[in-house]
Amino acid sequence: MKVLVAVKRVVDFNVKVRVKADNSGVDLANVKMALNPFCEIAVEEAVRLKEQGIATDVVVVTVGSSGAQEQLRTALALGADRAILVESNDELNSLTVAKLLKAVVEKEQPQLVILGKQAIDSDNNQTGQMLGALTGYAQGTFASKVELAGDKVNVTREIDGGLQTVALALPAIVTTDLRLNEPRYASLPNIMKAKKKPLDVVTPDALGVSTASTVKTLKVEAPAARQAGIKVKSVAELVEKLKNEAKVI
């Protein structure tokens, strides 16, 4: 079984994000970049399937600038077999990324596609669903457990009322939630081995996909600074402030 894992390069979650002075976007100059945490979970799940003897080939793919090769090498160090970079310096929305991934899926013909449920930069949570719609594959989102059974994959999903298990006919698309697994750390020997694993670079034009966007970012602003809290001396004073100042009751 071939498993395709889509990953994304994002600002490291430990970094305090800064907005550019002209409010045109996020300042990425000299900022540490990392593999999106949900994507790490997706890679870990694919590697575990390989260790169980279910998956035979784990391919990671990302869409972005040449700098994203660093994150692909990280995924290779975690256990993936080879990587694909769809190189583009354009600002891409979720639908364009899904179209590019669809072209890669058609080329690679994986039986299972795993994505993080969302990226921590845009938080859109829609690329996996769009890819499912474009490919016509069955999809299971917010997966907290994945089990392969013959020509089906059973996905336990986290929903508002608890857990829901769905059986998907392969090929299928799964998006990962936090509780699916705990990603491993890449060992030094595996980091060295990852440098020799194949990494192919393709362009959107080669895949026959236009990256022209119908969405334009007008302005990016940092959230308003939080005001300092206050202490009240009694419940009556608390109720008074909630009613007359906060106006929430």
Side-chain angles (χ1 to χ4, degrees):
M1 170 187 283
K2 180 187 290 187
V3 179
L4 180 70
V5 184
V7 301
K8 187 177 182 182
R9 184 179 194 242
V10 299
V11 176
D12 189 279
F13 68 90
N14 291 307
V15 174
K16 184 177 180 180
V17 175
R18 302 188 307 271
V19 176
K20 293 181 179 178
D22 61 358
N23 294 108
S24 62
V26 174
D27 186 2
L28 299 179
N30 301 316
V31 171
K32 181 182 178 183
M33 307 297 286
L35 194 62
N36 179 52
F38 287 102
C39 297
E40 281 190 276
I41 295 171
V43 173
E44 174 67 24
E45 191 64 21
V47 172
R48 291 188 184 189
L49 290 175
K50 184 180 178 182
E51 291 173 343
Q52 294 168 18
I54 297 173
T56 55
D57 189 16
V58 176
V59 185
V60 288
V61 58
T62 193
V63 180
S65 65
S66 60
Q69 291 190 33
E70 177 186 356
Q71 281 64 50
L72 288 176
R73 292 294 180 192
T74 298
L76 291 172
L78 292 173
D81 298 303
R82 55 191 178 91
I84 301 171
L85 169 62
V86 182
E87 188 171 355
S88 175
N89 292 314
D90 297 333
E91 183 178 349
L92 305 175
N93 59 36
S94 299
L95 180 57
T96 302
V97 172
K99 289 179 179 178
L100 291 166
L101 292 178
K102 174 179 179 286
V104 174
V105 167
E106 291 176 344
K107 181 181 178 181
E108 292 291 331
Q109 293 294 308
Q111 285 72 52
L112 182 64
V113 183
I114 309 179
L115 307 87
K117 73 170 185 178
Q118 65 195 78
I120 62 172
D121 52 1
S122 60
D123 262 348
N124 285 330
N125 179 18
Q126 55 192 13
T127 303
Q129 290 88 329
M130 288 178 171
L131 179 60
L134 290 172
T135 59
Y137 288 4
Q139 60 175 300
T141 55
F142 312 111
S144 61
K145 187 176 182 180
V146 175
E147 293 180 314
L148 274 295
D151 60 349
K152 294 184 181 296
V153 55
N154 296 323
V155 178
T156 301
R157 307 178 59 243
E158 297 195 356
I159 59 175
D160 290 342
L163 299 176
Q164 176 191 61
T165 300
V166 293
L168 310 176
L170 295 175
I173 294 171
V174 174
T175 68
T176 64
D177 213 336
L178 282 173
R179 279 159 287 279
L180 179 58
N181 60 53
E182 184 175 344
R184 70 193 68 190
Y185 289 99
S187 65
L188 183 58
N190 286 338
I191 292 174
M192 300 305 294
K193 290 178 183 177
K195 295 180 179 180
K196 297 182 179 180
K197 290 183 178 181
L199 193 160
D200 298 326
V201 179
V202 298
T203 63
D205 289 340
L207 295 174
V209 178
S210 171
T211 57
S213 178
T214 56
V215 178
K216 181 180 179 182
T217 301
L218 300 178
K219 190 176 184 182
V220 176
E221 293 180 307
R226 295 181 62 180
Q227 297 181 349
I230 61 172
K231 290 183 178 181
V232 295
K233 296 180 179 179
S234 66
V235 174
E237 184 181 357
L238 173 62
V239 172
E240 189 274 331
K241 289 187 177 295
L242 290 174
K243 184 176 181 179
N244 300 318
E245 292 185 21
K247 299 186 183 301
V248 294
I249 58 175

